[in-house]
């Protein structure tokens, strides 16, 4: 049983869920499939994902274990446009004032066996600028069929309280939320850890 507060929800066991959105089949499916194949073909360009810790950008696999590719090559423009096209609807849905995007920050993440990301808020990780420019977070999931991993849910945490909601990272599913929403990636298991079997995600942050 939940109550609502503007666009936010108040779970029965306390706290406050900021609004979020989940859309299946977000991209035309040939484009989603081509992005996945692009990620798999570029395995050698992925590097360990970093975090911001005490003002320093660093790799700490106890907090975040993932590899990332920071440019989507021939897909970069198309993905940028898709994020900007979604922006007005997400602003309305989340009850946020409209803003002019200065940039869409994009990276492709590959989560293999044991990968995870502890609970965090995207305005406090990685981008070391004050005020932090990230306003909207969009994550598009990609994986081969049949899925080669188990676990790896995106967990959205209530502000205060212990409540959470899990979103399964299904191929071509988009999860979107205000960048100030606390969330985590649950540890996944990827038997054999073949790169092609990983949980891929295109992270998009729309900057003000
Ligand atoms: O892959 C996900 O579900 C979310 C990743 C994430 O939270 C991040 O990179 O900041
Ligand atoms: Fe995040």
């Amino acid at each position: 049983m939940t109550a609502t507060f503007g666009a936010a929800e108040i779970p029965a066991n306390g706290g406050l869920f900021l609004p979020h959105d989940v859309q299946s089949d977000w991209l035309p499916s040939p484009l989603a499939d081509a992005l996945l194949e692009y990620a798999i073909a570029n395995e050698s360009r992925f590097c360990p994902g970093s975090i911001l810790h005490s003002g320093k950008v660093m790799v700490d696999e106890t907090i975040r274990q993932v590899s990332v590719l920071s440019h989507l090559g021939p897909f970069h423009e198309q993905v940028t446009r898709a994020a900007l096209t979604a922006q007005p609807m997400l602003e309305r849905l989340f009850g946020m004032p409209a803003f002019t995007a200065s940039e869409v920050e994009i990276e492709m993440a590959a989560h293999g066996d044991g990968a995870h990301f502890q609970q965090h808020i995207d305005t406090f990780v990685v981008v070391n600028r004050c005020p932090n420019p990230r306003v909207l977070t969009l994550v598009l999931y990609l994986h081969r069929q049949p899925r080669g991993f188990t676990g790896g849910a995106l967990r959205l945490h209530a502000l205060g309280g212990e409540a959470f909601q899990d979103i399964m990272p299904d191929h071509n599913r988009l999860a979107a939320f205000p960048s100030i929403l606390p969330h985590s990636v649950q540890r996944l298991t990827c038997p054999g850890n073949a790169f092609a079997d990983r949980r891929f995600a295109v992270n998009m942050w729309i900057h003000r």
Side-chain angles (χ1 to χ4, degrees), residues 64 111 117 120 122 139 141 154 183 185 199 201 203 205:
R64 183 187 193 200
H111 296 81
F117 197 163
H120 65 279
D122 285 348
V139 190
Y141 300 103
L154 168 69
H183 58 283
V185 178
R199 170 197 188 272
N203 293 323
W205 292 278

Side-chain angles (χ1 to χ4, degrees), residues 43-55:
E43 173 177 358
S44 62
R45 293 176 51 222
F46 278 76
C47 302
S50 48
I51 51 158
L52 185 65
H53 202 60
S54 309

